[in-house]
Amino acid sequence: MRILLSPSETKSVGGSGVPLDLAGLSLPSLTATRRTVADALVAVCTDDPGEAQRLLGLSDALSGEVTLDAELWTSPTAPALSRYTGVLYDALDQASFTKATRARAEARLWIGSALFGLVAAADPIPHYRLSAGTQLPGLGTLRATWRTALTDAVAEWAEELVLDLRSGGYHQLGPVPGAVTVDVVTEYPDGTRKVISHFSKHHKGLLARTLATSRAELSDLGSLLRVARRAGHAIERTSDTVLTLVTEP
């Protein structure tokens, strides 16, 4: 089983790993596209920091992110799972993993990225700032840049159970045919249901933690649902490729 997560805008800084080596990342067929995007990002952040700040949608308080992007090739790396922070990753709580649960999580978790396409949980990456909706000089949209390469790279997953928890923008960078998605809704006492994005991130993080660390063999929707429900998730099978996770207000 593979579980695909969205990245986060916020990321930890620093790390103890050697500088970025694209050839060492998972899904090596993406290396050329990764280099193209990385070179474009570093170039604009080095040559025109003001324009980079505008393109990245950064306030003056976050202008230091431009400098960090300019140093992409030389800054230290850290495992992707510890690089990303924020609501989803707080719920995932990777810092509390034991050696055994971390090994299972690293075998199952993948993280979407506007810069790298997809990375495995243990892949060493630097701090960076780049969103799926950003358009870099010399490139088209990142969706157009990534879509064919990323979809081709994950074609080998066709026979596996893939749970795609990425948000819309990152899902569009490279959809995985046949992947199962999850809608998170809050159910109110009157029976109405609403989607609230903040809660969605939190509950997707909790669900990902349950499934990524489970000792069960998760090879089909039936086993996924059993493990999730035993852990207390109120999850419904909406169709063969869509699940609904119901939360309380």
Side-chain angles (χ1 to χ4, degrees):
M1 180 188 187
R2 300 178 193 262
I3 304 167
L4 279 51
L5 305 177
S6 288
S8 58
E9 294 289 349
T10 56
K11 301 172 186 69
S12 62
V13 178
S16 57
V18 299
L20 178 63
D21 175 14
L22 293 180
L25 300 181
S26 302
L27 297 177
S29 65
L30 297 178
T31 299
T33 308
R34 287 166 172 160
R35 185 171 298 280
T36 296
V37 177
D39 283 344
L41 177 62
V42 170
V44 69
C45 290
T46 302
D47 299 339
D48 194 344
E51 175 65 0
Q53 182 178 338
R54 185 190 70 79
L55 289 171
L56 296 172
L58 299 171
S59 66
D60 289 342
L62 293 174
S63 61
E65 296 283 301
V66 175
T67 301
L68 290 171
D69 274 351
E71 297 170 348
L72 185 73
W73 294 116
T74 58
S75 58
T77 57
L81 196 57
S82 59
R83 177 63 73 196
Y84 296 97
T85 61
V87 174
L88 186 152
Y89 292 90
D90 287 345
L92 186 64
D93 193 16
Q94 60 86 25
S96 69
F97 288 170
T98 65
K99 184 177 181 180
T101 55
R102 181 171 295 278
R104 288 193 288 272
E106 289 180 350
R108 291 171 174 167
L109 289 174
W110 293 74
I111 302 167
S113 169
L115 179 57
F116 301 115
L118 271 173
V119 289
D123 280 348
I125 60 171
H127 178 100
Y128 70 92
R129 186 69 173 242
L130 183 66
S131 301
T134 303
Q135 186 161 342
L136 296 170
L139 296 181
T141 64
L142 289 175
R143 178 181 178 181
T145 300
W146 278 114
R147 194 173 180 90
T148 298
L150 193 49
T151 299
D152 288 349
V154 300
E156 63 191 58
W157 298 354
E159 302 303 316
E160 300 181 44
L161 175 62
V162 177
L163 185 67
D164 192 345
L165 300 180
R166 293 175 297 172
S167 59
Y170 290 94
H171 173 83
Q172 290 172 10
L173 292 183
V176 180
V180 177
T181 60
V182 176
D183 295 328
V184 181
V185 299
T186 297
E187 186 170 86
Y188 293 86
D190 64 359
T192 60
R193 293 179 171 184
K194 295 182 180 179
V195 176
I196 302 177
S197 61
H198 181 84
F199 289 149
S200 176
K201 293 177 182 178
H202 174 73
H203 288 285
K204 283 183 177 181
L206 294 178
L207 178 63
R209 178 183 174 86
T210 293
L211 299 174
T213 61
S214 174
R215 288 177 291 182
E217 181 65 32
L218 301 173
S219 57
D220 54 42
L221 275 183
S223 57
L224 184 159
L225 290 169
R226 285 193 296 274
V227 167
R229 288 167 178 165
R230 280 202 301 266
H233 301 282
I235 192 164
E236 303 169 355
R237 182 171 181 166
T238 307
S239 72
D240 287 344
T241 57
V242 179
L243 303 177
T244 300
L245 187 59
V246 184
T247 68
E248 297 179 350

